[in-house]
Amino acid sequence: MTTPKKLIEVALPLEAINKAAKEEKAVPRRGHPQTLHYWWARRPLAAARAVIFAQMVDDPSAHPEIFKTEAAQEAERQRLFRLIEELVLWENTTNEDVLQQARNEIVRSWRLTCAANAHHPRAAELFNPDKLPAFHDPFAGGGALPLEAQRLGLESYASDLNPVAVLINKAMIEIPPKFAGQPPVHPKTLKVSETFRVFEEEWRGAQGLAEDVRYYGQWMRDEAEKRIGHLYPKIEVTAEMAQERPDLKQYVGQKLAVIAWLWARTVKSPNPAFAQIDVPLATTFMLSTNRGKETYVHPVIEGNGYRFTIEVGTPPNVETTKKGTKNGSDGRTFLCLLSGTPIPFEYLRAEAKAGRMGSRLMAMVAETERGRVYLSPTPEMESIAFSAKPQNVPETDLPKKALGFRIQEYGMTQWRDLFTTRQLTAMTTFSDLIENVIEQLQRDALNAGWPERDPRSLSAGGTGLTAYSQAVSVYLACALSRLASYNNTICHWNMKGGSVGQIFARQAISMSWDFIEVNPLEKMSGNWAGGIEWVSDVLGEFVSETVMGIAQQLDASRQEMSSGKIISTDPPYYDNIGYADLSDFFYIWLRRSLKSIYPEIFATLAVPKAEELIATPFRHGSKEKAEKFFLDGMTQAMHRLADQAHPVFPVAIYYAFKQSENDASEGAASTGWETFLDAVIHAGFSITGTWPIRTEREGRPRGFESNALASSVVLVCRRRINDAPTATRREFITALKSELPVALANLQRGNIAPVDLAQAAIGPGMAVYTRYAKVLDAEGKPVPVREALSLINQTLDEALAEQEGDFDADSRWALAWFEQSGFDEGEYGVAETLSKAKNTSVAGMVEAGILASSRGKVRLLKPNELPDDWDPTSDARLTAWEMVHQLIRVLEGDSERGAAALAAQLGSRAETARELCYRLYMLCERKKRNAEALSYNGLVQSWPEIMRLAQESGTGQPEQPKLL
């Protein structure tokens, strides 16, 4: 069999891919699948599209008969890179011209492969030049990979054990092609029977379906107002209110729509004198911190009670107002508003578990023609909220323990406990209306003359009116999930932007002591109509061609769907995210709304958890049992991929588990990476390529302090050859020392973030390890993955240390001193002795401007201590150390544009500064110097933009490498 080397096994325009992925992750975008339905750790579309394309397209070196010289091969490779650079741009996500170019390249490579294998015994089965192989993702999750495969012209198959993931994938790849080009049926369109040809030409892709989702979503909103509008009354601004608040005079007599209510949870005061008083647990009393629009809650003490009023302007004591009733900075202890008595966390938890935690209305947000105003709460508004009586609420229990949330510790035993009774009433009302839509849509369609061509249901493969009405309801259920995200008691108020923070600000559920309740019937972030717009906007952007997609609920360790298909997948990350437990939040509402449509998906009361491939000790009895479960299950899943994948194409596997739990340079390897790589290797894979791709959003709540990653490593795998050699441990180390420094230089040229370097180096290191059938130690025993990872880490550290030889003597001294002392003072004598070994002097480094020396002590100057009038062009003793820290000073104190101006002055020497950052970052990580490490990592991550701005200035700054 001829198996041509694919582009992904040789080279990628990594900088362009990472830039596009970073921009895509930065902000929510209309039309992005993430806005259809939330999913945790979803891969960027740009990265998914580029990886699948590069998996399928041949590298030019695979065709020496066409590209006869290395120069010709490189020229062709650059042409493919230019196409990828266009392909990954957000604005080209649905650009048919660019997508068709990519499809043509895929077909071209496929036909060359088919021609080369025309005489293969299974040619008819495996090598049909007129039909591309299909795609499969067995851990489909949020569906980015199957969607992009479909966009590239492949029949796309998605499977997952999680029913919420299965539904998302059905909504993305299975349903839209069924109704592609079909016009909407709602009454505001012309009769289908009279104008079908016109509609067929005008409604592209799923645009007609999206239009019906908009129409019937609005119908639901109007019907909901009839049923529950009394729970969301407007408030009349009275003359009495204006007396207390002069800013309200202009609204006297007007009835304003309340768009949100801000509540504080309460417990009984622990002070016996106030034991019957429900005191608020308010993390802040500030409502708006916008300059000139400051507004805050003012608690007024009245005898043995209190009430809240709203004040406009800067509070008399800003810090006291900002911290509400919090006691300290841990966010879990409070003070009694009336007595100042501390309310310890243990008391809060005990009260909550005993069912004695309540809530108190602190403020209301109303909409006016001139913008929003904050209003004091009224007993009537509070009473109306408590009067709601929800019907047929899901009674699903919360798990007793779960990865990522402990809200059970606060008396919450069922998912319904995350909602107020009014929120539950809204959720059940909209859920009931989804079923009503099916009847209403069918009635409208039949009245308009829509023919019933196929009576089968959606789950049975139908494409007629019955299936279509059920399809519309699927997207309305996605909007219900969006409503749930913003319509619960975990949501918080954004004081700066005046918006609602949804429940999944991170991949967990955190307790919220004060929360915002939105009005789902009014225009406010998180309302029903807004969710309908987000969902229909996404739907309107799905593929216009009728490329088939299938999504099924399957266990990855047992599935047969991968047979003969191209595979790109993103497995669970050991114990990073508890997908099943978290997705129950959505499942209970989806099941309530869609069980009659997809009875097989929603057969269980909650998401299946026993077979979920994550390592959860509380689920399996111990850490060791959880690790064994993960390893066994992942090994079986990887075996399935190795056995079933189309033999011509490599398998691409994303992984983003932090590779070092402690200090990577000391060789500590995480259990997550060890067990995952063990599974890959035991499945018979060898690694033929690795790519660090920026897949994680910067600025997310899990920041640097938690050692969070910015990139995933994409492992490119093929079946290990049957006659792979055996190597000794020493031969393995020799190969590592020969190949890893070259790979390290490539990673640095590709501007890999220093925080990701140790993880990214696993790829080329394991590529060496997996080329052997076994690596044996001196006793003839196999070298395990854990030891291999440690050796890779050691070799990486050595390679970075060897790069110090490229730096000037002053910078080499500074590195050695920094490793010992950081920016702290040290003894002059020690510094002078070290300087002799580095062929420099303390006096010389003081003159160079990087060191302070006084009274027998020396210390390195921090970036903010360096002179702001520094001119590198006239510096007689220019050092890489000073370049790095001057660039950091300007970047952090000014901007990327300021750093670009300085880089332009440095010219080609600036690249040396960037290289030094990697070594400095590794030293900081080892010594737990997080603040300094953040600066070095930030400079490298900003480097492409700094270089772009430097080039824009016309300084002649050399262009940085664009590929890895």
Side-chain angles (χ1 to χ4, degrees), residues 56 106-107 110-111 114 123-135 153-157 547-548 564 566 646 649:
M56 299 198 66
I106 290 171
V107 169
W110 173 240
R111 286 178 176 167
C114 290
E125 174 190 353
L126 294 174
F127 300 106
N128 180 352
D130 297 322
K131 184 174 176 58
L132 289 169
F135 171 90
L154 308 180
E155 287 184 2
S156 192
Y157 291 77
V547 182
M548 187 185 76
I566 299 138
H646 196 291
F649 301 95

Side-chain angles (χ1 to χ4, degrees), residues 444-467:
D444 290 341
L446 293 173
N447 289 339
W450 189 283
E452 176 57 285
R453 301 181 303 271
D454 181 355
R456 290 178 301 163
S457 68
L458 187 62
S459 62
T463 58
L465 182 55
T466 298

Side-chain angles (χ1 to χ4, degrees), residues 782-828:
V783 172
V785 170
R786 174 168 285 266
E787 185 177 350
L789 287 171
S790 295
L791 292 170
I792 291 167
N793 286 329
Q794 292 171 17
T795 307
L796 171 65
D797 200 49
E798 291 169 8
L800 284 169
E802 287 175 5
Q803 290 182 350
E804 291 182 19
D806 298 333
F807 304 133
D808 55 89
D810 291 348
S811 296
R812 293 198 302 274
W813 179 91
L815 271 169
W817 183 264
F818 184 76
E819 184 172 10
Q820 295 174 15
S821 306
F823 288 109
D824 296 335
E825 281 189 338
E827 297 295 329
Y828 177 91

